[in-house]
Structure formats: structure tokens, C-alpha cells
Amino acid sequence: MQIDKILPVSKRYLLLANAIVWGAPGVKVFLTGLKSYFLLDTSASLALLLLGSALVICCFVMMFRKIVKKYSDRILSFQQKKKSLLCFLPPRGWVLVIFMMCLGITLKFIPCIPVEFFACFYCGIGPALITAALMFLYRFFITK
């Protein structure tokens, strides 16, 4: 069986699928990071943690912007009018998503990682993932 015959959708909806797959975990990760911030003692180090979150956001937004462009260009270059919904990510993208999910789950179960790390890193990567989702959503709306 050809993969294109499984849940065929227009290229536009492959962009929407990417927006969902990047945005949903982004919201979850960001909320986890916020919860971690609320567990911290309010002190002078809070400013450093917020700065750290801002740096993480900037780094990941720059990285994710390139990935969004690459994945969007790939989808829009498909010759067929309809592709399988499973084609919204290239094979390497599937590996990346699975690796990132496993890494995130594993980090939660390592007891020696401080709450400050989760607050800083998750409040950085969550908004970056949401930003990537918004970029895919923008491309979804401008594509005909």
C-alpha cells in the first residue's frame, strides 16, 4: 500500500498538522515551566531565570524558524494535490519529534535536575514551539 493513500489531504492541511504538532506540546511545556516558576522562592535569582528563559526563546525561535521554512517549502513543493497526512513531517522530522518527546519525558524523571532548570528551559522552549506553530499557521492561511 502506498503511503499517499492513507488519509489523503491537501498540502495546506499538512501545514495545519505541523502547527498542531508543534503548538500543542509548546503549550504543555510552557505551562510546565510556569508551574516550576511558581514553585521557586521569589528572590534576586528570579531575574536571572527570566533572562535565561528569554535567551532560550531567542535561540530556539531562530532554530525553529529555519525548520519551519524547510518543512513548509518541502510540503509546498509536493507535485501531488493530496498527500498522506503522515507526510507532514519528513522521516528525519519524525525522528526529531520522537527524540525530543522522549528527552522531555526522561528529564522529568531525573531527580537531580533542579526546578530552576525546568522553569528557565521550559518557559523558553514552550513559547519557541508556539511561535513555530504560529509560523506554520500563518503559512496555512496564506496558502491557497
Side-chain angles (χ1 to χ4, degrees):
M1 174 184 254
Q2 289 182 344
I3 196 162
D4 286 338
K5 304 232 189 256
I6 301 170
L7 298 168
V9 296
S10 72
K11 295 186 272 190
R12 190 169 177 256
Y13 287 99
L14 296 176
L15 296 169
L16 182 61
N18 267 301
I20 293 167
V21 165
W22 289 72
V27 169
K28 172 70 171 123
V29 167
F30 180 60
L31 292 175
T32 301
L34 279 180
K35 190 166 61 171
S36 297
Y37 265 117
F38 291 123
L39 294 174
L40 297 174
D41 267 342
T42 315
S43 65
S45 65
L46 187 62
L48 289 175
L49 289 170
L50 291 173
L51 178 63
S53 291
L55 289 172
V56 171
I57 289 172
C58 291
C59 291
F60 277 101
V61 164
M62 290 188 323
M63 182 176 63
F64 291 159
R65 186 176 57 207
K66 292 176 186 175
I67 293 172
V68 169
K69 180 174 178 11
K70 182 178 174 181
Y71 287 7
S72 296
D73 290 347
R74 176 186 159 273
I75 288 169
L76 296 174
S77 73
F78 289 149
Q79 297 299 317
Q80 303 92 328
K81 289 185 182 193
K82 291 191 174 194
K83 288 287 273 183
S84 169
L85 184 59
L86 301 175
C87 291
F88 73 93
L89 286 175
R92 275 183 67 187
W94 284 103
V95 171
L96 175 67
V97 167
I98 291 167
F99 172 76
M100 294 295 282
M101 289 173 60
C102 290
L103 182 63
I105 292 167
T106 302
L107 286 174
K108 290 297 288 175
F109 292 103
I110 299 174
C112 62
I113 296 179
V115 173
E116 290 84 1
F117 169 80
F118 290 111
C120 182
F121 188 70
Y122 281 20
C123 280
I125 199 166
L129 286 165
I130 293 167
T131 302
L134 293 173
M135 287 187 249
F136 277 117
L137 207 53
Y138 171 76
R139 288 190 175 227
F140 167 77
F141 284 116
I142 65 167
T143 301
K144 295 183 177 167

